[in-house]
Structure formats: C-alpha cells, structure tokens
Amino acid sequence: MQQFTHTVKDMFGMHARPAALLARTSGRYRSKITLTKGDKTADAKGIFAVMTLGVKHGDTLTVTVEGEDEEEAVRALREFFATNL
C-alpha cells in the first residue's frame, strides 16, 4: 500500500471535468485507489463517488493505492494531481 497527500490548488476544486479525468486515469489500474477528505472516503474510479467528497480549493486529499500495479498508479496519479488540481 502506498499513500500521498495533495492540497487542491485549482480555484474551482474538484468539479466535473477533473473528477471525470481522475476516474478515467484511476480506471487504467487494477489497484484499489481511494481518496480521503476528512472523514469521507471515495473510490477514485467512480466519478459520482469522487464528486460526493465536495473537494474545494485548499482541501487536502489523501490518495491510497493498494494492489499489484500500485507503483505505476501512484506515479500517474501524482502527475495527474500536479497537472490538474
């Protein structure tokens, strides 16, 4: 299992477009990928689950990746967050 945190810099937070891109990116991997904000957790492979977190500018997310391709997934997700959020 690997984890990292990311503080959202996008002024609009996690709106529909980045949530869809995140779900698409996460869906490429067999590993289980979850996002945690406070006491809420969501499966990163589901756009609606991601949207229910209500991520806003300045929120910090914990990304947890667990599975056979977790190293590759973590690299891709770190790049995704740095580029899109």
Side-chain angles (χ1 to χ4, degrees), residues 4-84:
F4 67 92
T5 59
H6 178 80
T7 301
V8 177
K9 296 170 187 77
D10 187 304
M11 293 305 295
F12 300 106
M14 178 83 75
H15 53 89
R17 186 185 61 78
L21 290 171
L22 175 61
R24 189 175 313 132
T25 300
S26 298
R28 289 188 250 162
Y29 301 97
R30 290 182 295 278
S31 294
K32 179 180 178 182
I33 302 169
T34 57
L35 299 177
T36 304
K37 178 191 142 194
D39 62 347
K40 295 181 183 179
T41 300
D43 179 352
K45 295 180 183 182
I47 184 172
F48 295 114
V50 171
M51 294 294 294
T52 62
L53 291 176
V55 178
K56 295 178 178 31
H57 173 77
D59 287 346
T60 298
L61 296 171
T62 301
V63 182
T64 305
V65 183
E66 185 174 4
E68 61 190 72
D69 56 357
E70 66 187 37
E71 289 182 25
E72 182 181 346
V74 165
R75 278 193 300 275
L77 290 168
R78 282 184 185 272
E79 182 178 327
F80 171 85
F81 279 98
T83 303
N84 295 288

